[in-house]
Amino acid sequence: MFTDKKKRKFVQYKGWCIDDNGEPIKDPLMELKGPTLQRYIDYYAFNLIDKKGHKILSKSVSWLEYVVSYDLYIVSDFFKDDLSDKNKRLSNVVTREGKLLSTEWFENITPSYCGYLRIERNGKYNLLDQHGHFLLKNDAEFVSDYFGNYAYCCRDGILSIVFPDGREETVRTLEVFDESRHGKIKSTWRILYLKAICRNTKDKKEEWNYLVNYKNVLFKQHYDKLNASGIQGLYFVWKNGEAKLINMAENVLTDYSFKLPPSSYFVFGHAIIEIEGKYGLINYLGKIVFHGYSSVLWAPQGGKLWMMILFRNSAERHYYHGQGGPYIHYAHEFLINNRIVCLLEKDNIWYYPDYENNLVELFVCEPESIDAGNSF
């Protein structure tokens, strides 16, 4: 049962919801708040056109991607490298008006968490704002996400805090990596720019840390377990069986005990945690935003991948493309078209947190039957 009382039927692979007359249901909650620009494709060349059909870019590019949260396009194209005489793929940012954000093209551009784009050039990193200004005066080996009024950077083994005016304040000098003392390089998991290292104690227990740019060890101490948080500069760690959220300076941001579901990490600044058998959300500051819910429906990476995960009773169930019942499909379409981190359930009522962290009722359904049936 949905709050607007409309009857829905899911047509697999051919849209998502139609009414009794076979017409698509236009739900204001479901409409993508996207750009007025469209994508133009011509022999694998991409451009943008306005409503009158005029091309926005003077030259078509090899790839473009619209970033909803920034209302910008990331575009890529190939340029000839004078040194190697080979084509090199570089990226830039295009505004809704079709203007390039920077006169310089970069090796890579990825959206970071809070208002900045992470750029890579010559193997080093910086943060670029939506006006084309860099946060760091000089590129660094590592740059974290921006936490409202500061970011972390690591340059030549020195960990610093960077402020909006570009001023840097040293936190500490990191230890130089020594395999005999710190352990061997193991994996990166889903975390960018850092390598996981592992050592064995005398009782053959594994302890973990991170390695920055193959040179320096990030944390002063090793941990029983590490997990990527989804936000550069924040990390989930375990010590003596207790999970904690820490930052690059190794400050603990959570002063309470919690469990982290295996698939959980930060999406849109929030992560799912479990406390005493109930689920909730924390923000990137470690503050509990919601708690006490029996079930959670979550779409990893903000719904970019067609996969839903149901957390319930300290377990999780995965639904891939085409799997699950109509509520699973509805939840995914809702999450992918709105910047909502998850749906929370209590007493069979499913809610979503809006942009101001208010809970809004979305539908009523028993968790045990959420993936059953073919109609609403």
Side-chain angles (χ1 to χ4, degrees):
M1 182 179 73
F2 290 83
T3 53
D4 58 12
K5 310 298 182 184
K6 290 182 180 179
K7 293 183 179 180
R8 289 171 163 84
K9 181 170 65 176
F10 178 73
V11 180
Q12 192 169 349
Y13 303 117
K14 294 182 179 179
W16 71 277
C17 280
I18 60 175
D19 60 21
D20 293 336
N21 298 320
E23 296 294 328
I25 293 177
K26 293 184 178 180
D27 190 334
L29 294 175
M30 302 295 299
E31 291 181 358
L32 176 63
K33 307 296 189 297
T36 56
L37 303 176
Q38 303 171 29
R39 188 170 69 180
Y40 172 81
I41 307 176
D42 182 15
Y43 299 105
Y44 301 103
F46 293 77
N47 209 313
L48 298 170
I49 59 174
D50 59 22
K51 292 181 178 180
K52 296 181 179 180
H54 300 144
K55 292 182 181 181
I56 296 295
L57 300 177
S58 59
K59 175 183 178 296
S60 296
V61 293
S62 62
W63 181 250
L64 62 85
E65 175 188 0
Y66 177 63
V67 183
V68 178
S69 55
Y70 288 76
D71 197 19
L72 295 169
Y73 291 88
I74 296 178
V75 299
S76 300
D77 206 359
F78 290 93
F79 295 83
K80 192 170 184 179
D81 190 332
D82 295 333
L83 295 178
S84 63
D85 199 32
K86 295 181 180 179
N87 287 335
K88 185 176 183 180
R89 185 170 179 169
L90 299 175
S91 300
N92 209 327
V93 180
V94 177
T95 66
R96 282 177 64 99
E97 293 76 26
K99 297 180 180 179
L100 290 175
L101 194 62
S102 173
T103 56
E104 182 180 0
W105 288 66
F106 307 101
E107 296 167 17
N108 191 27
I109 300 177
T110 54
S112 65
Y113 165 62
C114 190
Y116 279 87
L117 298 154
R118 181 178 285 101
I119 65 98
E120 178 185 359
R121 56 183 172 185
N122 301 320
K124 293 190 176 183
Y125 303 92
N126 210 322
L127 295 179
L128 181 71
D129 69 13
Q130 297 177 46
H131 303 288
H133 303 136
F134 293 105
L135 178 64
L136 279 67
K137 295 178 181 178
N138 299 299
D139 297 348
E141 299 162 4
F142 175 89
V143 182
S144 76
D145 283 319
Y146 187 71
F147 299 111
N149 55 5
Y150 70 94
Y152 289 105
C153 77
C154 184
R155 189 184 295 106
D156 298 325
I158 297 176
L159 179 65
S160 303
I161 292 178
V162 186
F163 298 98
D165 58 2
R167 178 173 52 90
E168 295 186 17
E169 183 178 292
T170 299
V171 176
R172 69 171 185 270
T173 300
L174 304 180
E175 283 189 73
V176 177
F177 172 63
D178 183 343
E179 184 177 302
S180 64
R181 187 168 73 255
H182 298 110
K184 295 182 178 181
I185 299 173
K186 287 289 186 178
S187 173
T188 60
W189 294 303
R190 288 180 304 230
I191 193 165
L192 301 177
Y193 319 117
L194 298 180
K195 299 286 184 180
I197 56 177
C198 177
R199 70 183 183 188
N200 293 320
T201 61
K202 293 180 180 179
D203 58 357
K204 298 183 179 180
K205 178 183 176 183
E206 290 186 340
E207 293 184 334
W208 296 82
N209 210 319
Y210 280 124
L211 184 64
V212 183
N213 203 33
Y214 292 97
K215 294 179 181 179
N216 302 98
V217 178
L218 180 58
F219 300 130
K220 293 180 180 178
Q221 63 175 313
H222 281 51
Y223 293 92
D224 300 337
K225 180 182 174 183
L226 304 174
N227 203 36
S229 73
I231 294 180
Q232 301 301 323
L234 297 182
Y235 313 95
F236 287 112
V237 299
W238 282 257
K239 194 72 172 179
N240 299 322
E242 185 177 355
K244 300 178 183 295
L245 176 66
I246 65 175
N247 57 22
M248 292 193 74
E250 220 161 351
N251 299 319
V252 178
L253 305 181
T254 49
D255 57 358
Y256 47 86
S257 298
F258 67 94
K259 293 181 180 179
L260 184 74
S263 299
S264 178
Y265 53 88
F266 281 97
V267 173
F268 304 138
H270 294 81
I272 300 165
I273 63 168
E274 180 184 348
I275 300 178
E276 298 180 351
K278 298 292 184 180
Y279 295 97
L281 294 180
I282 62 172
N283 62 19
Y284 69 97
L285 300 175
K287 181 181 177 182
I288 298 176
V289 182
F290 301 109
H291 181 249
Y293 292 83
S294 303
S295 310
V296 177
L297 267 175
W298 181 55
Q301 298 186 20
K304 290 182 181 179
L305 300 177
W306 213 122
M307 182 175 74
M308 291 290 298
I309 301 177
L310 173 63
F311 295 112
R312 183 170 172 79
N313 297 327
S314 298
E316 58 183 78
R317 183 171 181 179
H318 294 234
Y319 302 91
Y320 297 94
H321 186 83
Q323 296 179 341
Y327 284 102
I328 295 293
H329 293 274
Y330 177 83
H332 180 266
E333 291 294 340
F334 178 81
L335 291 171
I336 198 172
N337 287 339
N338 297 272
R339 297 187 69 248
I340 306 298
V341 61
C342 68
L343 305 184
L344 301 164
E345 178 268 329
K346 182 188 290 185
D347 300 328
N348 300 335
I349 302 176
W350 292 81
Y351 305 87
Y352 71 89
D354 65 13
Y355 302 135
E356 297 179 351
N357 283 330
N358 299 311
L359 284 181
V360 182
E361 183 178 330
L362 188 61
F363 59 80
V364 179
C365 176
E366 296 179 2
E368 292 82 358
S369 61
I370 194 168
D371 63 345
N374 296 314
S375 60
F376 294 99

